[in-house]
Amino acid sequence: MTTVTVKLSRSNRIYRSSEPVEGKIVIKSPNSISHQTIRLSVNGSVNLQVRGGSAGVIESFYGVIKPILIVKKTIQVRSSGRIPPGTTEIPFSVNLREPEESIAEKFYETFHGTNINIQYLLTADIPRGYLHKPLSATMEFIIESGRVDLPERPLPPEMVIFYITQDTQRHPLLPEIKTGGFRVTGKIATQCSLQDPLSGELTVEASSVPITSIDLHLLRVESIIVGERIVTETSLIQSTQIADGDVCRKMTLPIYVLLPRLLMCPSIFAGPFSVEFKVCITISFKSKLAKEQPKSDPTAPRLWMALERLPLELVRTKRDQFSC
């Protein structure tokens, strides 16, 4: 059985829009095979979708939104001929943009979200005529910003001071939590580099009801323009437990969270769509009601839970470009 794979020159598959994407097309065949022109295609696009549940009565728009084309080109790797039995490696090199193109903003960074996906694919096609099944292989590669005006690293984090009390909550609380009161203070970075951890600190100054857990949740906020309206959906990326159990009062707890690369990208504010991020700090108090309720969205307001949401701006810095 003949197999075709695309092997990139970099194991992490990370490239900039100004760099050529290089690699090899690896063909393994027990027999000699003939082929027509071998081509390599590069496709980059922003794929948008709106689910009915996230936008109310909007099912009629589902599937109507066309992908936003970023790059699409095809190059000839080898002219028609024959491939000998065994393993054959065909090198390739393709430029994502031409040297005279100075605008790199349209090359959004790779991102896999709930409703927005920014993806770059390499596809090798080996046609073999009408009597033989064509061979093909696809490989995703990752694009990171290649802009020259990126800020230097280390980027001083913009720290925001926050406090969480029974009076800052917009949802109802259990009577014992509301009347007894609590106060949690801290600070956290609301702007940071994608290569750096999200950092900060938190202190439980007072709480009449025992605490069972303190968690930090990373959220993505995806917005898409559909017709004359903007559809926005917030979804969970990952959760990190800051403290387990009833923590000591007035003890400073560190916040240190690593950011997942493919699920996050620099904050984007484009015309037809935007990608933003938020941090949600939740404090769960001891309650029999919490054990009886099924676990669902950890950031949804609950009677036994206090929460605080803060915006998070993610940026790419120049030194991030050399981290791969």
Side-chain angles (χ1 to χ4, degrees), residues 68-82:
I68 300 173
L69 184 65
I70 299 175
V71 60
K72 183 177 184 180
K73 61 169 49 181
T74 302
I75 63 170
Q76 178 179 320
V77 179
R78 177 179 287 189
S79 58
S80 58
R82 295 191 67 85

Side-chain angles (χ1 to χ4, degrees), residues 165-178:
T165 69
Q166 67 277 7
D167 297 325
T168 63
Q169 303 306 296
R170 298 181 180 180
H171 65 282
L173 298 172
L174 292 173
E176 59 267 29
I177 300 176
K178 184 73 174 179

Side-chain angles (χ1 to χ4, degrees), residues 52-65:
S54 64
V57 186
I58 197 168
E59 288 80 3
S60 60
F61 290 108
Y62 184 83
V64 174
I65 305 176

Side-chain angles (χ1 to χ4, degrees), residues 31 100 109 114 120 125 179 199 211 229 259 323:
N31 304 309
E100 60 270 14
E109 293 204 12
T114 303
Y120 297 85
D125 291 306
T179 57
S199 59
I211 295 173
R229 62 185 299 179
L259 305 178
S323 61

Side-chain angles (χ1 to χ4, degrees), residues 202-237:
L202 179 147
T203 303
V204 179
E205 296 186 0
S207 177
S208 60
V209 178
I211 295 173
T212 58
S213 180
I214 300 177
D215 300 272
L216 185 144
H217 309 281
L218 293 176
L219 308 175
R220 55 178 162 243
V221 184
E222 300 168 278
S223 300
I224 302 173
I225 296 179
V226 182
E228 298 181 352
R229 62 185 299 179
I230 299 177
V231 179
T232 301
E233 182 173 356
T234 301
S235 56
L236 178 67
I237 299 176

Side-chain angles (χ1 to χ4, degrees), residues 40-246:
L40 185 76
S41 302
V42 181
N43 289 281
S45 62
V46 182
N47 299 303
L48 309 174
Q49 73 169 12
V50 176
R51 299 178 298 174
S54 64
V57 186
I58 197 168
E59 288 80 3
S60 60
F61 290 108
Y62 184 83
V64 174
I65 305 176
K66 294 182 179 180
I68 300 173
L69 184 65
I70 299 175
V71 60
K72 183 177 184 180
K73 61 169 49 181
T74 302
I75 63 170
Q76 178 179 320
V77 179
R78 177 179 287 189
S79 58
S80 58
R82 295 191 67 85
I83 296 175
T87 301
T88 301
E89 296 184 347
I90 305 174
F92 65 82
S93 178
V94 56
N95 293 317
L96 299 178
R97 60 186 178 93
E98 301 303 323
E100 60 270 14
E101 293 184 55
S102 59
I103 300 177
E105 285 83 353
K106 74 170 186 176
F107 284 87
Y108 305 112
E109 293 204 12
T110 299
F111 171 72
H112 295 295
T114 303
N115 296 328
I116 300 175
N117 274 284
I118 305 174
Q119 194 172 37
Y120 297 85
L121 299 174
L122 277 174
T123 302
D125 291 306
I126 307 176
R128 302 180 58 201
Y130 295 106
L131 301 178
H132 300 280
K133 185 178 180 180
L135 303 173
S136 66
T138 301
M139 170 67 71
E140 180 183 9
F141 63 99
I142 301 168
I143 285 293
E144 291 186 354
S145 179
R147 295 174 54 179
V148 297
D149 58 344
L150 295 176
E152 293 285 351
R153 187 183 173 197
L155 185 71
E158 293 187 3
M159 307 297 289
V160 170
I161 297 175
F162 65 88
Y163 65 95
I164 309 172
T165 69
Q166 67 277 7
D167 297 325
T168 63
Q169 303 306 296
R170 298 181 180 180
H171 65 282
L173 298 172
L174 292 173
E176 59 267 29
I177 300 176
K178 184 73 174 179
T179 57
F182 62 92
R183 182 178 177 85
V184 177
T185 61
K187 60 181 180 179
I188 193 169
T190 56
Q191 182 191 67
C192 65
S193 167
L194 279 163
Q195 293 296 116
D196 294 333
L198 177 64
S199 59
E201 60 183 39
L202 179 147
T203 303
V204 179
E205 296 186 0
S207 177
S208 60
V209 178
I211 295 173
T212 58
S213 180
I214 300 177
D215 300 272
L216 185 144
H217 309 281
L218 293 176
L219 308 175
R220 55 178 162 243
V221 184
E222 300 168 278
S223 300
I224 302 173
I225 296 179
V226 182
E228 298 181 352
R229 62 185 299 179
I230 299 177
V231 179
T232 301
E233 182 173 356
T234 301
S235 56
L236 178 67
I237 299 176
Q238 76 173 27
S239 300
T240 303
Q241 189 176 48
I242 305 300
D244 182 23
D246 194 20

